[in-house]
Amino acid sequence: MPESRSTSEAPAAASSDSAAGPPRTPVPRRALPSRRPDARRPKVQGLNPGASELRRRQTTAASSAPPSDEAHLAVLLPWAETLRAVLRSIDTEHDGFATALVCTAAGSPVAHHGIESGQVAVTAAGTSALHGTASALTGVDHVRVHLSDGTAVVVADVGTPETPLLLRLSVARGVAARTLSGVLRGTRQDLADSVRDAESAARPSRVD
């Protein structure tokens, strides 16, 4: 008898090219966050920075300042700690004055007390803008802006004719006008004395 053959055959394995369609592009894996320190991230500085850190801050401030401020900052920045001590004394000797800042008329910060480092440049720029708005008024000793929370911001001219500066104070609710006037008068004198010392130190010494 003729040999019978089975007509059922195992189906051929499907080609990966025809069954799976076009080749799929592999999806790159996202790299896990590195625990290595990032040099681009700002370092948290202590309350008492070292001499190298102070020099770095002074250089950064001078390099980013408007051209009109470069000469003033070259004189004032070496005396920034002295000016900061004057601002700190306002807070320690009087109630209701938590923050203070000294900047140039163009808005370059020189010294501050009670203001977060990240807000210093913004605060100085706002001080300059507020002073510029009020400068059209003549015979004004200082500008006082009352805020919705009951506090106030005061901006006054300080420094010397050779090195004019702006003083910004935050004034708590309830501080009397007489108290504010006394604080402004004393702070103006203390800042002017410190600025004159800085100016004298910056002048080249005479050689006989």
Side-chain angles (χ1 to χ4, degrees):
M1 294 179 63
E3 183 180 357
S4 62
R5 294 183 179 181
S6 173
T7 58
S8 60
E9 295 181 358
S15 171
S16 59
D17 293 337
S18 60
R24 302 175 64 181
T25 304
V27 179
R29 296 182 180 179
R30 288 195 308 173
L32 296 176
S34 173
R35 293 182 179 271
R36 296 178 181 177
D38 190 347
R40 295 172 297 178
R41 296 180 180 176
K43 297 180 180 180
V44 178
Q45 302 295 340
L47 295 178
N48 297 311
S52 60
E53 174 62 17
L54 286 176
R55 285 194 297 271
R56 186 191 67 79
R57 293 182 185 180
Q58 294 169 4
T59 303
T60 301
S63 61
S64 60
S68 59
D69 281 352
E70 291 180 357
H72 292 325
L73 293 178
V75 172
L76 294 171
L77 289 180
W79 291 73
E81 289 299 324
T82 301
L83 299 175
R84 187 175 293 113
V86 174
L87 302 182
R88 190 183 303 114
S89 67
I90 303 173
D91 184 22
T92 57
E93 297 175 8
H94 305 276
D95 293 330
F97 299 89
T99 67
L101 176 137
V102 170
C103 66
T104 65
S108 297
V110 177
H112 62 90
H113 169 71
I115 303 174
E116 295 182 3
S117 298
Q119 297 297 317
V120 172
V122 175
T123 304
T127 302
S128 174
L130 180 59
H131 177 265
T133 301
S135 61
L137 304 176
T138 58
V140 176
D141 178 74
H142 63 273
V143 179
R144 182 172 183 171
V145 178
H146 294 271
L147 306 180
S148 59
D149 60 358
T151 62
V153 171
V154 174
V155 176
D157 290 287
V158 295
T160 66
E162 185 177 344
T163 311
L165 296 171
L166 300 177
L167 169 67
R168 176 192 175 108
L169 298 174
S170 62
V171 184
R173 184 200 303 266
V175 174
R178 182 176 180 179
T179 301
L180 175 61
S181 297
V183 169
L184 285 177
R185 183 169 57 253
T187 304
R188 274 193 173 113
Q189 184 62 53
D190 292 341
L191 289 174
D193 291 343
S194 298
V195 171
R196 289 191 187 96
D197 290 341
E199 292 169 347
S200 298
R203 294 190 185 100
S205 57
R206 295 180 56 183
V207 178
D208 297 333

